Every structure is written in structure tokens, then in C-alpha cells.
Amino acid sequence: MDLSPIWLTLKLAGITTGMLFVVGVPFAWWLSTGRSFFKIIIEAIITMPLVLPPSVLGFYLLLAFSPQHGVGKWLHNTFDVQFVFSFQGLVLASVIYSMPFMVGPVKSALQQLPASLAEASYTLGKSPWQTFKSVLLPNIKPSLLTAVVLTFAHTLGEFGVVLMIGGNIPGVTRVASIAVYDAVEKMDYASANNYSLILFSITFVLVIAVFVFNKYQAKSPLG
Amino acid sequence: MITINIEKKLKAYHGQQVLRVNRQFAPGSITKVYGPSGSGKTTFLKVISGLTNPERGTIKADGVTWFDSTAKINLSTQKRNIGFVFQQYALFPNMTVRQHLEYATADVAWIKRLLLLGSLDTLETHKPEYLSGGQQQRLAILRALATRPKLLLMDEPFSALDPKTKTGLISELKTILKELGITTIIVSHNPQELSGWVDDELVFE
């Protein structure tokens, strides 16, 4: 059995989750503070992957980053970077596609904290960033864990968007979900079953781990 | 000297009302603010601390302008050097008693004195969820004092304390407030509370 799709999937999910943690958590904080029309628009845009068919998102990413047009052409000519049919492209698509799964739970948890926690910190002379780091983040640990696991697990299961932008190149863009589809197409049900079972097991263990870590009090990773 | 002359709109059950305060607070004085629920007592403290802004007016402390709606000056909460005791304590669930004080100050001797003042020295490794209501309230007061503020704002600070603890804490607190010369404004819903202890009163209708 060729395990490269599994390793590639884990690598993609790890990088995507790491990048989204660094970018998505401060972004969720920004969204959680105050309300403006601009923030509503931004939030709507990052929520779109939840409701859009993955193939639609993949199609637009394919158009946007095609080396023959616009941004994709500029990136290719200026930095020699190509997002279409490459692992970088999968990472980019995954970050966009999984962003609501990182931002949503973190933003919601931050909004549920009493405003007086941050206010108390400000009266002690602490900056918003110090307050975020020392007071707000440590008090939403269960939601942070839920967001990380949800993002990782969701990336493991991506299909439409990665197929559109990455295709099916063995060792480069052929992740486990595509390998399952490929195996079924070839009537190789044994391989499809092996890949499926591994994906199912990893996801199940992750979800169980969240519940154990949060001592059965975690918010359901399913929302 | 703290000089406050502000106007702030309040959301009221029956339409809108306006909070107007024009008052001076002498250095080191202790003033009680009392009035019925919804009269703007907590809002008044938040206006002074910079956590919310008035529509109009000025706030000056020792010659420094904290807020001036005309000159568009609005000093941040962090720069006003105030201590604030919140009505619901607003303690940090992730921090122990000692960590609350260490978050506010690096002065170890001061932390030790505060712990003794609040009788929390034996509970310094406890997190707020393992403290009683009275202990949580004392911790909130100690945390507000930790930065050695020039102005201490207290929102119903003694409501969860039993009479004996309240008397002991008030007595020690008064000593420390006088020693540090901290100007103090205490909100209370009870006209009788703190009588004989404060220097001045401000009544909100």
C-alpha cells in the first residue's frame, strides 16, 4: 500500500493548522472586539467556505492563481511561485477553506468572556496585546483546542477544493481523500478501504482526545 | 486634586437620561457615591477610568488632562494610573492569588504586605474558583491596590463581606489609603454603608 497520500495529508493538515493558528487566532480576536460594517463583510467572506461548494471555491482559486492570469501570473513572473498543481497551492487553498473552523470557535469563546476581564487588565496598565496573551487566551484553552482539532480534522477530509487547485499528482498533490476517490475509480476497493479506515481512525482519535483533554466538558467539536 | 465635569447619556428603561457630574475630589479623600440602580454610578466610575467616554466635558487629575471633549484629549485607561474594583470582581480564572498581584506589580515586598492586609497569605496558590465570595472580593481590592494607584475606584466593594471581615478590612484599608495618599471613590447602593468612614458623599438621583 502506498502511504504517501497519508503522509502528504498529515503534512498538509499540520502546516495548515499551524498557519491558521498563527494568523487565525489574532484575527478572531480582532473580529471579537466591537462591531462594524467592515468587520461584518470580512466575517462573511471568511465564512463563505462553510456554505460554498468546495469545487466553486477551488474553481475561483484555480482562476485566481493560474500562471496565465492576474495574480498567479504576477507571482509566477516575480517570485517564480506557482500555486496551481503544487503543494503550496494545496496549503493556500486549505488555509482559506479551513479558516472558519479556526476563527469561528475562537471568536465565539472570546466574545463569551466577560468584558470586565480585559477592562481589569487595562486598569492594571496592561496593553491590549498583553491582555490578550496573559488573560484572554489562557481562559479559552478548551475552545483553542477545539479549533485546532477541528481545523486539522477538516483539512484531512478536504476533497473538492484540493482536487480543483492541486489535481492528482502522486507525491505532490495526491492527498488521502483523492487517493480514495482514485482507488474507487479503479475498482480497487481494498486500497480505498485502507485509506478510508486510516482517515476515519485518525479523526476519531482526535475527537476523542479533545473530549478527554477537556474532561468531558468541551464544546462539541461538531459545533 | 481630581476635577470632573462631564455629561454622559445613560440608557434607561424609560427613554434616555443624562448623567451630569461637576465635582472636585480632594487629594487623599474618600468619597462615597450612592443612588438607586440605574442612576449611573458604575458608568461614572467607568467614565473616570477611561473604559467609556462621556459625550461632553473634562476630567483632570493633578493638573493632567485625562479627558477633554473640546480639545479632543482622551488619555487611555492604561495611562491614568487608577485602581478599579469591579462589582463582579473580574478576577482572572487562570491566575492564582499571587499571580494576580504579580501581574500588576513586580514589587515583592508590596505583594507580601497586600497578601497580609487581605489575609490571603495562606491562599496565595489558590485560583479564584477555590476562594469564597469574601476572599474573591478582597483579592479584587488587593489587585487594584497593587499598582499603587493615585485614584482608587471601587464599585460595591464590600457587598460580599460579612460584618466582621468588612470592619477589619475597612479599618486596614483606610490606613493604607491614607498612607499612600490615594484618592478614593466608592460606589454603594446603601446610604448607611460606610457612614463615618468617608470624607464626602455624592448622591445620584
Side-chain angles (χ1 to χ4, degrees):
Chain A
M1 180 188 167
D2 177 17
L3 285 175
S4 67
I6 299 293
W7 295 124
L8 196 65
T9 303
L10 291 173
K11 184 177 158 191
L12 177 64
I15 292 172
T16 301
T17 306
M19 286 178 73
L20 273 176
F21 189 83
V22 171
V23 175
V25 173
F27 191 58
W29 175 43
W30 176 72
L31 283 176
S32 73
T33 55
R35 211 75 185 120
S36 67
F37 186 68
F38 180 66
K39 283 188 181 177
I40 290 171
I41 297 295
I42 296 292
E43 197 170 354
I45 289 171
I46 65 160
T47 307
M48 287 302 282
L50 281 178
V51 289
L52 268 181
S55 52
V56 171
L57 183 67
F59 172 67
Y60 282 126
L61 287 173
L62 188 62
L63 286 186
F65 292 104
S66 159
Q68 271 84 46
H69 307 102
V71 179
K73 188 178 181 182
W74 178 77
L75 286 169
H76 187 253
N77 293 342
T78 314
F79 301 108
D80 196 23
V81 174
Q82 186 175 320
F83 282 106
V84 173
F85 303 121
S86 69
F87 184 73
Q88 298 98 291
L90 293 195
V91 172
L92 176 73
S94 298
V95 164
I96 294 170
Y97 189 50
S98 292
M99 188 173 279
F101 294 87
M102 178 65 79
V103 172
V106 175
K107 183 200 146 211
S108 172
L110 287 169
Q111 282 179 327
Q112 282 169 26
L113 287 176
S116 57
L117 284 187
E119 290 173 347
S121 180
Y122 298 156
T123 63
L124 298 172
K126 304 299 177 186
S127 67
W129 175 248
Q130 284 173 306
T131 302
F132 177 63
K133 189 166 57 75
S134 302
V135 176
L136 304 183
L137 271 191
N139 286 306
I140 60 160
K141 271 186 194 165
S143 296
L144 278 177
L145 183 69
T146 300
V148 165
V149 170
L150 203 56
T151 303
F152 191 88
H154 184 251
T155 310
L156 289 183
E158 279 176 16
F159 178 73
V161 73
V162 293
L163 184 65
M164 290 295 278
I165 199 162
N168 183 7
I169 306 169
V172 180
T173 63
R174 191 179 178 216
V175 292
S177 58
I178 292 172
V180 171
Y181 179 78
D182 207 30
V184 170
E185 283 248 293
K186 292 174 184 166
M187 307 289 279
D188 181 3
Y189 285 6
S191 293
N193 187 43
N194 287 340
Y195 289 131
S196 300
L197 201 60
I198 291 172
L199 279 185
F200 182 89
S201 305
I202 293 171
T203 313
F204 189 64
V205 167
L206 282 173
V207 173
I208 291 288
V210 172
F211 282 117
V212 170
F213 183 84
N214 290 340
K215 296 173 185 168
Y216 309 103
Q217 291 173 9
K219 289 167 193 163
S220 164
L222 302 176
Chain B
M1 178 72 75
I2 293 169
T3 309
I4 298 171
N5 182 6
I6 53 108
E7 269 187 35
K8 167 78 178 167
K9 284 180 188 163
L10 298 174
K11 283 176 192 160
Y13 185 70
H14 297 292
Q16 214 168 46
Q17 63 184 67
V18 179
L19 172 71
R20 288 189 183 86
V21 180
N22 185 359
R23 185 86 167 203
Q24 289 191 330
F25 299 87
S29 64
I30 301 173
T31 305
K32 179 170 81 172
V33 177
Y34 73 89
S37 296
S39 59
K41 302 186 296 294
T42 298
T43 304
F44 178 57
L45 296 190
K46 290 201 168 186
V47 164
I48 299 171
S49 63
L51 292 172
T52 187
N53 293 322
E55 274 75 35
R56 266 185 292 281
T58 56
I59 303 174
K60 292 179 182 176
D62 298 333
V64 179
T65 302
W66 285 0
F67 182 85
D68 188 331
S69 56
T70 310
K72 300 208 182 303
I73 295 171
N74 189 6
L75 212 60
S76 69
T77 300
Q78 287 89 340
K79 290 179 180 167
R80 296 192 185 193
N81 188 23
I82 49 118
F84 201 125
V85 180
F86 289 79
Q87 192 173 9
Q88 302 299 327
Y89 320 137
L91 297 173
F92 308 133
N94 60 310
M95 294 188 195
T96 63
V97 168
R98 174 170 276 276
Q99 284 168 342
H100 272 85
L101 303 183
E102 285 173 343
Y103 184 61
T105 178
D107 186 339
V108 179
W110 182 230
I111 289 174
K112 193 176 174 185
R113 184 166 174 208
L114 287 172
L115 287 170
L116 287 170
L117 169 73
S119 304
L120 291 176
D121 48 318
T122 56
L123 300 169
E124 61 178 74
T125 57
H126 287 52
K127 287 188 175 175
E129 64 180 309
Y130 300 108
L131 301 176
S132 69
Q135 289 164 343
Q136 289 185 18
Q137 205 156 40
R138 274 182 277 155
L139 177 57
I141 294 170
L142 301 185
R143 182 183 62 181
L145 286 171
T147 56
R148 296 176 188 267
K150 281 287 163 205
L151 174 63
L152 181 62
L153 306 168
M154 306 172 92
D155 195 357
E156 304 274 7
F158 308 117
S159 58
L161 302 180
D162 60 82
K164 191 182 166 193
T165 310
K166 188 192 286 187
T167 308
L169 184 62
I170 283 176
S171 169
E172 289 184 70
L173 192 58
K174 188 165 185 179
T175 307
I176 210 160
L177 292 178
K178 291 294 175 193
E179 181 188 317
L180 294 174
I182 300 175
T183 307
T184 308
I185 301 175
I186 306 177
V187 157
S188 173
H189 68 278
N190 182 352
Q192 275 77 47
E193 193 177 56
L194 307 172
S195 53
W197 189 63
V198 297
D199 305 309
D200 202 358
E201 289 187 348
L202 177 60
V203 184
F204 284 6
E205 301 298 340

